[in-house]
Amino acid sequence: MTGLDSLYQELILDHSKHPVGNPLHEVGDAAHADSHQKNPVCGDEITLRVAVDGDRITEVSWEGTGCSISQASASMLATLVAEEVEGEGMSRADAIALIEGFREALRSRGTIPLDEETFGDAAALSGVSKFSARVKCAMLAWVALEDGLARA
């Protein structure tokens, strides 16, 4: 295992043990949608809540059970959104582009690495793309956000 692989593995474990955005937060009167997703292959489950104000995402929170990859991926996604919310907020279009880029990289079987500038800690999940059985684990929260945005 290379030093970078080891660092990425530690980052994944840290996010799974100390998740960001967990548990679900009450959003009051804000427009929001919940999305429950389940990976039937391994049993990972997540419920993600996305709150929006017009075209801007104001919060993402989640709760779930499953492997360290699914839990870390949800935490990494919540971190990305929270960093944008501190500024002007992430737009729906930016979120959809982020989800599509993540999906493309994870389906690439290792040929498209996730850019750390764009994906932050989630770039540590690039190696998951080499293991097709784990791609659904990493994608679970991202699919939930996509679904939630479509319904919010």
Side-chain angles (χ1 to χ4, degrees), residues 3-16:
L4 188 58
D5 289 339
S6 179
L7 175 65
Y8 281 174
Q9 188 174 37
E10 287 178 34
L11 190 57
I12 291 168
L13 290 174
D14 186 52
H15 268 280
S16 70

Side-chain angles (χ1 to χ4, degrees), residues 39-151:
N39 181 346
V41 175
C42 67
D44 293 346
E45 289 190 55
I46 188 168
T47 300
L48 182 137
R49 178 171 295 148
V50 58
V52 296
D53 182 7
D55 185 45
R56 299 283 171 193
I57 298 171
T58 59
E59 184 176 6
V60 167
S61 61
W62 63 278
E63 59 188 24
T65 58
C67 69
S68 60
I69 290 173
S70 71
Q71 302 302 285
S73 185
S75 176
M76 292 168 173
L77 175 59
T79 299
L80 275 172
V81 173
E83 289 169 355
E84 290 293 322
V85 168
E86 289 176 9
E88 62 184 44
M90 182 180 286
S91 72
R92 288 175 188 251
D94 288 344
I96 295 300
L98 199 66
I99 294 163
E100 289 171 355
F102 190 77
R103 180 179 285 123
E104 180 182 16
L106 286 189
R107 289 182 176 169
S108 76
R109 296 196 177 262
T111 62
I112 302 172
L114 290 164
D115 176 58
E116 195 170 330
E117 291 276 326
T118 304
F119 292 95
D121 286 353
L125 296 168
S126 287
V128 171
S129 69
K130 297 175 186 170
F131 306 97
S132 58
R134 307 304 272 164
V135 168
K136 287 183 180 180
C137 302
M139 282 298 308
L140 202 60
W142 301 72
V143 169
L145 178 58
E146 185 177 47
D147 180 55
L149 286 172
R151 297 189 297 128

Side-chain angles (χ1 to χ4, degrees), residues 30-43:
H32 69 279
D34 290 356
S35 177
H36 181 81
Q37 301 292 321
K38 183 174 183 173
N39 181 346
V41 175
C42 67

